Amino acid sequence: MTTTESVPAPASARAATSRPLLAVDGLGVEFRLRDARVRAVTDLHLTVRAGELLAVVGESGCGKSVLAHALLGLLPGNATTTGHAVLHESDGEPVDLITCGQRQLARRVRGRLVGLVPQSPATALNPVRTGRRLLAETLRAHGRDRADADQLAVDVGLDPADLDRYPHELSGGMAQRLVTALALAPDPALLIADEPTTGLDRPLVDHTLDLLRRRCDNGAAVVLITHDLAAARRVADTVAVMYASRVVEHRDTDELFTAPTHPYASALLDALPDRAFRPVPGDPPMLTALPPGCAFAPRCPHRTDTCAHPPEPTPVAGGGTVACHHPIRTGANP
Amino acid sequence: MTSTPHLLADEVTVGYGRQVVLDRVTVRIDRGETVGLRGPSGCGKSTLVRVLALLHQPDQGRVSIDGTAVSAVRYAVPVALRTRVAALFQSPRAAADPRLSLTDLIAEPLRATRTPEAAVRERVTELADLVGLTADLRSRRPHAVSDGQLQRACLARALVHRPDYLLCDEATAMLDASTQAHVAAVIRDYQLAQQAGVLVISHDQTLLERWSDRIVDLAGTAPART
Ligand code: SF4
């Protein structure tokens, strides 16, 4: 059994139901390299409810993409995992995405329960099949009518006529919409979108974000991995800020953007062009050489001797968690 | 027009096949200013950058640098003129040779113009410091660094010949907020120190407003006002 009640989740106004669809509990991912160990995810706790859109943000290399791959069972062979990520299906046994094994993942989970909108669509598409064929296969495999393909295409903003093209005949934006349609086809309860807007121009970015938002409003849960804070702010119910393999703050979107409590989250928001437009001072640590205490300490203006010990996630007034010995007081109403 | 030295796209027209991408577009970037370029997707912003960076020959119209008209592209342009303009693009992975260490990536344009090796090393160190690449990062190849670190190396490379004009085509679009602010700050400092002219293209209106001295609209294929 996993316990999720120990870490209170943000009390989002937009997420309708209270039962978590996904409960990530103490997840750790480590890679063994020839001469080093890389801690990509450390002691990570998160919950996502049906109808909730969680954005995971942070600098590149903070571990957010590894989190996505761990949830999909797509980690390479040199990775070891600890902890759990339990998916509670509405009709069926809960399944632990970390420990259930590749057979279960292939038969029951991937596609059907958990869908992925990948970062680089070009490598995700079978080059010798048209979009229509790919979509029809996916629909049929999940007991849906292949005639739904046209509607799916329209949903993602693709001209149904373009389904008859081969992947190499599609522009980057069209390929992205096709992989999105493929991820949506089985109607998964949990959709993981890993930097889905990279390389898209503005109208398509907005379209993709709106599409993810609509999935949530129709009852799915979405985990959006993104470096784009503006995108997170636009569509997410809650935001988890990752730093050096850990979630350092997890709050309701509006509360995080108005009153961040973790010094790193605050510094990251200050880098936005409509704020101070000032980079976070210093460099992120190497994941091969994380300091024993708080990983942000070398860059943190608030650090004290206490910070040599790793801070645990603790509740923030108004909901959510922060992992910091000296969080910035929000001054907000509880 | 005043006599401030400037980079000029003068009545530039570019078409691919039957499609006209730029139709008699005029954009002027003075030295010492940062111009933001705004326009809907598909309006030819990136093509305009390629024309100004002397990578693409316009069908009509011309580019001039400090009043000197340039009628060739790429290596056909004399070195002294070609190195006045540098460009930074959105995807550093597409632009960077994966076989080169970041040091060699930055040094390559200097070596290509037969700069003495001692001077190359000095300049590369200076630039790597400027963009904040540690000694450890400099020895790595592109696959072993993050997008943000690679883009900082590409920025150092773009500045290696001390260009008078720098063109940034969505150069921070795939970077996290902190790296974006860092790259923008380095470019801003360089622009002030060198009195360079900078062109910034971004879909992010907030970024354009914060970064640019003035913003130019490139609307569809209609001629843009400068
Ligand atoms: S734990 Fe200490 S060093 Fe880390 S963010 Fe909080 S105050 Fe800063």
Side-chain angles (χ1 to χ4, degrees):
Chain A
M1 267 313 284
T2 57
T3 53
T4 52
E5 286 72 21
S6 57
V7 182
S12 169
R14 273 189 274 176
T17 61
S18 57
R19 194 173 61 94
L21 179 90
L22 175 71
V24 181
D25 187 29
L27 179 66
V29 180
E30 200 174 76
F31 296 105
R32 287 181 312 274
L33 303 182
R34 216 176 320 148
D35 47 3
R37 276 165 182 277
V38 182
R39 274 268 195 102
V41 175
T42 306
D43 195 24
L44 189 134
H45 298 263
L46 280 175
T47 56
V48 194
R49 284 152 295 181
E52 175 179 349
L53 197 156
L54 163 72
V56 181
V57 303
E59 288 164 276
S60 63
C62 71
K64 57 190 193 299
S65 277
V66 175
L67 167 65
H69 287 109
L71 295 177
L72 285 145
L74 295 176
L75 292 172
N78 64 337
T80 48
T81 52
T82 48
H84 306 275
V86 178
L87 188 71
H88 296 272
E89 224 192 329
S90 52
D91 43 352
E93 286 283 290
V95 50
D96 188 335
L97 303 176
I98 305 302
T99 60
C100 71
Q102 286 297 329
R103 271 191 61 190
Q104 276 257 33
L105 283 174
R107 276 222 312 250
R108 193 176 153 208
V109 175
R110 224 175 273 138
R112 196 168 76 78
L113 288 179
V114 186
L116 170 71
V117 181
Q119 188 166 5
S120 39
T123 52
L125 293 169
N126 185 332
V128 298
R129 308 213 172 148
T130 62
R132 184 174 302 283
R133 175 109 185 264
L134 289 167
L135 256 183
E137 282 170 5
T138 307
L139 286 167
R140 203 173 45 234
H142 294 92
R144 288 184 66 184
D145 192 340
R146 56 188 299 163
D148 290 350
D150 281 2
Q151 185 55 48
L152 266 168
V154 172
D155 287 349
V156 298
L158 204 58
D159 184 340
D162 289 330
L163 289 181
D164 297 312
R165 301 194 195 203
Y166 288 92
H168 71 268
E169 299 172 315
L170 301 175
S171 70
M174 287 154 78
Q176 182 62 51
R177 279 171 280 177
L178 178 58
V179 294
T180 305
L182 285 166
L184 298 182
D187 207 8
L190 174 66
L191 191 65
I192 295 175
D194 184 10
E195 299 280 8
T197 59
T198 299
L200 303 186
D201 57 29
R202 199 68 224 170
L204 258 178
V205 167
D206 290 344
H207 183 93
T208 306
L209 294 174
D210 290 343
L211 195 75
L212 296 176
R213 185 66 247 172
R214 275 209 304 281
R215 293 301 290 183
C216 285
D217 297 340
N218 291 335
V222 174
V223 176
L224 168 65
I225 311 278
T226 184
H227 70 278
D228 184 347
L229 293 172
R233 179 164 208 181
R234 236 194 80 183
V235 294
D237 298 302
T238 64
V239 177
V241 181
M242 278 188 80
Y243 184 76
S245 85
R246 290 174 190 268
V247 169
V248 293
E249 183 160 2
H250 180 205
R251 308 264 306 284
D252 266 11
T253 305
D254 287 344
E255 285 168 17
L256 179 80
F257 276 89
T258 30
T261 61
H262 193 283
Y264 172 68
S266 170
L268 187 64
L269 292 179
D270 275 346
L272 286 170
D274 54 343
R275 301 191 182 198
F277 203 29
R278 179 179 59 223
V280 182
D283 277 303
M286 307 274 298
L287 294 179
T288 44
L290 291 179
C294 172
F296 190 57
R299 307 168 80 178
C300 181
H302 303 279
R303 73 167 171 272
T304 63
D305 292 346
T306 322
C307 307
H309 304 282
E312 294 293 320
T314 48
V316 180
T321 60
V322 62
C324 172
H325 292 298
H326 312 292
I328 301 163
R329 280 176 207 281
T330 63
N333 301 326
Chain B
M1 290 210 173
T2 66
S3 59
T4 314
H6 58 268
L7 175 65
L8 179 70
D10 191 10
E11 297 270 306
V12 161
T13 297
V14 175
Y16 297 109
R18 263 180 305 167
Q19 194 181 357
V20 178
V21 180
L22 295 171
D23 183 13
R24 283 168 294 129
V25 169
T26 297
V27 171
R28 170 178 166 154
I29 303 140
D30 282 356
R31 289 200 45 187
E33 72 167 349
T34 297
V35 178
L37 187 67
R38 177 172 60 189
S41 65
C43 75
K45 296 191 292 288
S46 293
T47 301
L48 181 60
V49 166
R50 292 178 56 75
V51 168
L52 283 168
L54 312 178
L55 296 172
H56 189 98
Q57 182 93 56
D59 300 330
Q60 284 165 40
R62 59 175 195 168
V63 173
S64 67
I65 302 173
D66 298 346
T68 305
V70 189
S71 52
V73 290
R74 292 180 187 267
Y75 295 100
V77 182
V79 170
L81 212 49
R82 165 170 24 113
T83 53
R84 296 301 83 221
V85 185
L88 189 64
F89 297 98
Q90 171 166 5
S91 170
R93 300 229 174 254
D97 186 334
R99 296 164 303 181
L100 298 181
S101 70
L102 298 196
T103 295
D104 290 338
L105 195 70
I106 300 170
E108 197 186 33
L110 287 176
R111 296 197 174 119
T113 52
R114 311 235 156 79
T115 311
E117 197 53 32
V120 170
R121 273 200 292 275
E122 190 183 328
R123 180 77 181 133
V124 168
T125 307
E126 185 187 340
L127 281 166
D129 287 343
L130 185 76
V131 300
L133 291 173
T134 60
D136 166 57
L137 287 170
R138 292 172 206 182
S139 63
R140 298 202 210 172
R141 284 193 268 181
H143 69 89
V145 300
S146 71
D147 285 339
Q149 288 157 346
L150 188 56
Q151 187 68 317
R152 284 192 268 159
C154 288
L155 172 59
R157 176 186 163 105
L159 299 182
V160 82
H161 279 298
R162 294 192 177 78
D164 294 325
Y165 303 97
L166 180 65
L167 315 169
C168 307
D169 185 1
E170 295 282 4
T172 64
M174 61 190 296
L175 306 180
D176 64 81
S178 178
T179 311
Q180 168 173 276
H182 182 192
V183 165
V186 170
I187 293 173
R188 191 82 192 160
D189 289 348
Y190 175 83
Q191 183 252 328
L192 289 171
Q194 186 83 12
Q195 279 301 296
V198 173
L199 182 75
V200 176
I201 291 185
S202 174
H203 64 265
D204 183 341
Q205 174 73 16
T206 322
L207 179 70
L208 277 188
E209 282 168 8
R210 186 63 180 256
W211 194 348
S212 324
D213 300 317
R214 65 188 176 95
I215 294 179
V216 171
D217 279 302
L218 188 62
T221 51
R225 293 169 297 118
T226 55

